[in-house]
Amino acid sequence: MKNQQLANWQTTVLGIVLAIIAIISFNSFIIINPGQAGVISILGKARDGALLEGIHLKPPIISVIDVYDLTVQKFEVPAESSTKDLQNLTARFAINFRLDPTQVVEVRRKQGTLENIVSKIIAPQTQEAFKIAAAKRTVEEAITKRSELKEDFDNALGDRLDKYGIIVLDTSVVDLTFSPEFARAVEEKQIAEQRAQRAVYIAREAEQEAQAEINRAKGKAEAQRLLAETLKAQGGQLVLQKEAIEAWKTGGAQMPKVLVMGDESKGSVPFIFNLGNMPNQP
């Protein structure tokens, strides 16, 4: 009986020892996947040198491994600033970044988790970089020259985050808004420009109409000059006499029986019509 109990106790102890050995064995190495980097801390102190992809040994029980994602991360960060003409400008940026694998240990020591990196480093530095870029131009220039605003922002943000082991890959301006006062000013400016364009159109139309009147007056004067020259020429009086008769006939006026036309003072031969004998024409 005692031998049986001893055997059972030895079996239990052996099982416990084997379990402890198994736990220690599994806890003695770690696998770092591609796109990751690990920071090993022994008794609460981070060791230099990041653990890159592959299998790594570590002291069991007393060590902890923090794994960081080195792939591209994307976060949207709001920012607000004043422009060169003291207008409020609000923006939202999409920041694409990744951690520098050679500085992951410093990131672990100073910033900690990825959430801390975004909230304590990227967000405030984005705000400061936007202030630098926005202060160089007016709000109208910030809208019309958006690419230049983004370029200045990228340069300022990249310089600021590089020292924290954060590599900025790309940024995008998701939204760019301005104050209601500026919106009203833009609307009033557009209305004023439309009115100015309308005034220019009316002025040009009046100028064209005046030129047309001048041309008509010139044409009328030329016609009168030609008529005067025609009257001075030989036979001009006959033309007038014929036009007068045609005007009376078409106007329906009662024609006299005898019409004498001519100017004896100028030696012209009197022109006598016996209108009573002229047939009526339709």
Side-chain angles (χ1 to χ4, degrees):
M1 186 67 179
K2 290 182 178 180
N3 292 334
Q4 182 67 31
Q5 291 178 350
L6 180 60
N8 292 337
W9 182 83
Q10 290 176 347
T11 302
T12 302
V13 171
L14 181 61
I16 293 173
V17 171
L18 291 176
I20 293 174
I21 293 174
I23 293 173
I24 292 175
S25 298
F26 282 112
N27 198 37
S28 297
F29 66 90
I30 185 173
I31 297 175
I32 303 297
N33 296 317
Q36 294 179 337
V39 178
I40 182 171
S41 299
I42 300 176
L43 296 176
K45 183 178 180 180
R47 293 182 58 183
D48 294 335
L51 306 178
L52 302 180
E53 59 181 272
I55 186 170
H56 301 272
L57 295 175
K58 68 183 185 69
I61 301 175
I62 62 173
S63 63
V64 176
I65 304 294
D66 294 297
V67 179
Y68 287 86
D69 191 348
L70 300 182
T71 59
V72 178
Q73 306 292 321
K74 178 181 177 180
F75 286 91
E76 289 191 8
V77 182
E80 184 176 356
S81 178
S82 296
T83 58
K84 187 177 180 180
D85 53 349
L86 302 181
Q87 294 287 338
N88 290 330
L89 191 63
T90 304
R92 177 173 290 274
F93 292 93
I95 312 296
N96 294 330
F97 69 95
R98 65 180 180 86
L99 299 180
D100 186 349
T102 63
Q103 299 189 47
V104 170
V105 176
E106 289 300 315
V107 171
R108 172 64 183 87
R109 288 171 175 168
K110 295 179 179 179
Q111 283 82 49
T113 63
L114 183 62
E115 290 74 13
N116 286 341
I117 294 173
V118 174
S119 61
K120 296 182 179 180
I121 303 299
I122 295 180
Q125 295 302 330
T126 297
Q127 178 70 37
E128 292 301 318
F130 182 56
K131 287 181 179 179
I132 293 174
K136 294 181 179 180
R137 49 187 52 86
T138 65
V139 63
E140 186 173 355
E141 291 173 343
I143 297 172
T144 57
K145 299 179 180 179
R146 193 164 175 169
S147 60
E148 296 180 6
L149 174 70
K150 178 181 177 299
E151 182 178 359
D152 291 342
F153 171 79
D154 289 349
N155 294 334
L157 184 64
D159 293 340
R160 286 175 169 271
L161 294 184
D162 183 67
K163 60 185 179 181
Y164 294 101
I166 302 171
I167 301 173
V168 178
L169 302 176
D170 188 29
T171 64
S172 300
V173 183
V174 179
D175 188 22
L176 188 66
T177 57
F178 39 85
S179 64
E181 293 79 8
F182 179 74
R184 287 194 296 269
V186 171
E187 183 178 359
E188 292 174 357
K189 181 179 179 180
Q190 291 177 345
I191 294 174
E193 289 178 352
Q194 291 176 354
R195 289 177 177 173
Q197 292 175 358
R198 176 64 179 170
V200 171
Y201 172 77
I202 294 175
R204 290 178 178 175
E205 190 177 41
E207 182 180 355
Q208 293 175 356
E209 182 63 26
Q211 187 62 40
E213 289 291 338
I214 293 173
N215 293 337
R216 284 194 290 268
K218 289 181 178 179
K220 186 176 181 181
E222 181 65 18
Q224 291 176 349
R225 185 185 66 81
L226 294 176
L227 179 60
E229 291 181 355
T230 303
L231 295 177
K232 292 178 181 180
Q234 186 177 3
Q237 293 183 355
L238 295 178
V239 175
L240 288 178
Q241 293 167 1
K242 184 176 182 300
E243 289 183 353
I245 294 171
E246 291 296 331
W248 277 329
K249 290 175 65 178
T250 57
Q254 181 66 34
M255 297 293 292
K257 296 299 181 180
V258 178
L259 178 63
V260 179
M261 300 181 67
D263 190 352
E264 295 182 356
S265 64
K266 295 184 179 180
S268 61
V269 179
F271 194 79
I272 303 174
F273 287 97
N274 186 1
L275 300 179
N277 296 328
M278 294 183 64
N280 293 327
Q281 295 182 359

